Amino acid sequence: MASLAVTPMADNFLVPNATFFVELFAFLLLLFLLGKFIIPPINRAMTARQDAIREQFAELDEAKSEASAAEEEFKAQIADARHEAARIREEAREQGAAIIAEMREQAQAEAARIVEHAHTQIEADRKSAAASLRGEVGTLATTLAGRIVGESLDDEARQSRVVDRFLTELEGAS
């Protein structure tokens, strides 16, 4: 039987061999290549992406503040428009009331003028009727008196005095 002679070096797994050094060299080479050429562009891309996200958040905050300011301005404009509309309505009411008052005054003045004209017309008609009545009554009265008395009262002056006295007594009695 052949005895296997084991050399103490071959059996010791703690002692590195040539394969280990090749693998270590390949690992370190990969590590160097990754650190030099692959990881920096990835880091730059991640940093750029983070900066872009920060900018987007800043723009979003700015847009929110602008939107809030625009909304407040819009609300203020609406409130101003409502106040202006209320003021215009109030002015229109006041103008309408003034126009109504003016028209009422004009109508009252016109009514007073018409009433005054009617009074003047009535007074003129009354005077005309009274004069006409005096003439007719005078004629009838003198004719009647002449028949009663039996003498003629055709004298104008006498006839006028008799008629005036008769009408004065008639007015005093009523």
Side-chain angles (χ1 to χ4, degrees), residues 87-161:
R87 185 187 61 76
I88 290 172
R89 277 192 306 268
E90 188 60 33
E91 283 180 7
R93 263 191 223 112
E94 289 173 1
Q95 288 177 353
I99 289 171
I100 289 172
E102 182 181 333
M103 290 299 175
R104 194 171 282 144
E105 287 175 13
Q106 286 179 357
Q108 288 174 347
E110 183 67 18
R113 188 189 62 78
I114 290 171
V115 167
E116 183 63 33
H117 179 70
H119 284 300
T120 308
Q121 185 67 35
I122 289 171
E123 184 63 27
D125 288 346
R126 188 185 68 77
K127 286 181 181 178
S128 171
S132 173
L133 189 62
R134 274 188 195 263
E136 289 178 23
V137 167
T139 306
L140 287 175
T142 53
T143 306
L144 184 61
R147 285 187 189 166
I148 291 174
V149 174
E151 64 181 73
S152 176
L153 297 173
D154 289 333
D155 181 19
E156 277 296 319
R158 184 185 289 175
Q159 183 180 6
S160 180
R161 282 192 313 266

Side-chain angles (χ1 to χ4, degrees), residues 19-170:
T19 308
F20 174 74
F21 287 115
V22 170
E23 288 174 353
L24 181 64
F25 176 73
F27 176 73
L28 291 175
L29 180 66
L30 271 174
L31 195 61
F32 172 76
L33 289 175
L34 283 174
K36 183 76 174 173
F37 298 108
I38 304 292
I39 293 176
I42 290 174
N43 281 341
R44 280 193 302 272
M46 285 176 46
T47 304
R49 180 67 182 148
Q50 287 174 349
D51 291 342
I53 289 172
R54 281 189 202 103
E55 286 178 16
Q56 287 176 351
F57 276 126
E59 288 174 0
L60 178 65
D61 289 340
E62 183 179 330
K64 279 184 182 179
S65 65
E66 287 177 3
S68 295
E71 182 181 9
E72 290 302 318
E73 182 180 344
F74 176 72
K75 286 179 180 178
Q77 287 176 350
I78 293 265
D80 288 344
R82 285 183 181 149
H83 290 303
E84 181 69 17
R87 185 187 61 76
I88 290 172
R89 277 192 306 268
E90 188 60 33
E91 283 180 7
R93 263 191 223 112
E94 289 173 1
Q95 288 177 353
I99 289 171
I100 289 172
E102 182 181 333
M103 290 299 175
R104 194 171 282 144
E105 287 175 13
Q106 286 179 357
Q108 288 174 347
E110 183 67 18
R113 188 189 62 78
I114 290 171
V115 167
E116 183 63 33
H117 179 70
H119 284 300
T120 308
Q121 185 67 35
I122 289 171
E123 184 63 27
D125 288 346
R126 188 185 68 77
K127 286 181 181 178
S128 171
S132 173
L133 189 62
R134 274 188 195 263
E136 289 178 23
V137 167
T139 306
L140 287 175
T142 53
T143 306
L144 184 61
R147 285 187 189 166
I148 291 174
V149 174
E151 64 181 73
S152 176
L153 297 173
D154 289 333
D155 181 19
E156 277 296 319
R158 184 185 289 175
Q159 183 180 6
S160 180
R161 282 192 313 266
V162 169
V163 169
D164 287 339
R165 189 177 71 229
F166 175 73
L167 289 176
T168 305
E169 288 174 6
L170 192 63

